[in-house]
Amino acid sequence: LRFVCASNDGIDEHMVWLIGLKNIFARQLPNMPREYIVRLVMDRNHKSVMVVRRNLVVGGITYRPYLSQKFGEIAFCAITADEQVKGYGTRLMNHLKQHARDVDGLTHFLTYADNNAVGYFVKQGFTKEIYLERDRWHGYIKDYDGGILMECRIDPKLPFTD
Ligand code: ACO
């Protein structure tokens, strides 16, 4: 099992994984328009941290780092149906936090969580209270009425992965 971070950089292997991830999102997030998923997963401002097993993607998180604001917006998060509730979602989030802190220099994540995923995000350290100063995120993330805005502060020192 591997955790890899990639974006639309033209590397064949990355493209195959991103397409696999886009298909998982389309299936697991049926309320999201497919074209919107494709657009963000393939957008060069977005990155994806993926769970890869036997060279196949089994899930991932697509996010947009706002480097000047030091926060990231999680756009999509899913694990393929047969592999849910095995702990991959938690390990995935930990790899995302480590990468976002150590490579992007981010301090926080924001996401619009689907109602049924709030429990998962709470377990990953997200809160419905937004502590991040409004100036740092307002105008950067788009309002979206299909979910609940949640925040996670990334611990500056904690090792998230082994
Ligand atoms: N509601 C409440 N708790 C949950 C949920 C949920 N929907 N999903 C998982 N959990 C809990 C698990 O029971 C587990 O608890 P435990 O640590 O006490 O045992 C913990 O969260 C972590 O479970 P994992 O096995 O690590 O999670 P999993 O690999 O199943 O991934 C995920 C979680 C990504 C939510 C997955 O179930 C999934 O793909 N769901 C469908 C798509 C979805 O809802 N995605 C999020 C939409 S919001 C967005 O994308 C911004």
Side-chain angles (χ1 to χ4, degrees):
L1 196 77
R2 286 194 290 153
F3 294 85
V4 289
C5 182
S7 61
N8 183 356
D9 55 12
I11 296 174
D12 286 354
E13 191 175 50
H14 292 171
M15 304 317 285
V16 172
W17 289 336
L18 288 175
I19 291 164
L21 181 62
K22 176 263 290 176
N23 291 334
I24 293 171
F25 288 153
R27 190 168 286 250
Q28 294 302 314
L29 306 168
N31 297 324
M32 286 285 173
R34 211 180 165 96
E35 314 76 67
Y36 180 64
I37 295 175
V38 179
R39 185 151 63 77
L40 295 200
V41 171
M42 295 304 168
D43 170 39
R44 288 168 198 268
N45 290 316
H46 284 74
K47 292 183 174 188
S48 298
V49 176
M50 295 175 275
V51 191
V52 176
R53 204 184 53 190
R54 292 187 221 104
N55 217 35
L56 288 175
V57 184
V58 299
I61 292 177
T62 294
Y63 75 107
R64 176 168 180 170
Y66 288 96
L67 301 178
S68 64
Q69 307 309 107
K70 296 194 189 312
F71 81 86
E73 179 183 10
I74 294 177
F76 313 117
C77 164
I79 299 289
T80 197
D82 328 347
E83 307 291 346
Q84 290 177 9
V85 250
K86 293 182 179 175
Y88 293 160
T90 298
R91 293 176 66 192
L92 174 65
M93 185 63 76
N94 286 332
H95 276 82
L96 172 72
K97 288 175 181 171
Q98 184 103 31
H99 181 93
R101 181 187 65 192
D102 299 347
V103 178
D104 302 326
L106 309 184
T107 63
H108 290 76
F109 276 115
L110 291 174
T111 193
Y112 278 102
D114 285 359
N115 277 300
N116 61 359
V118 168
Y120 162 75
F121 283 106
V122 167
K123 283 187 176 154
Q124 310 310 317
F126 285 68
T127 58
K128 293 185 190 174
E129 291 78 37
I130 307 300
Y131 299 100
L132 194 63
E133 313 83 90
R134 195 177 146 88
D135 291 357
R136 259 177 77 187
W137 59 270
H138 189 247
Y140 288 86
I141 70 172
K142 38 228 151 281
D143 255 332
Y144 163 67
D145 58 7
I148 299 156
L149 186 62
M150 296 185 80
E151 168 185 304
C152 176
R153 172 180 172 273
I154 308 170
D155 188 283
K157 296 217 175 69
L158 205 69
F160 289 109
T161 62
D162 30 54

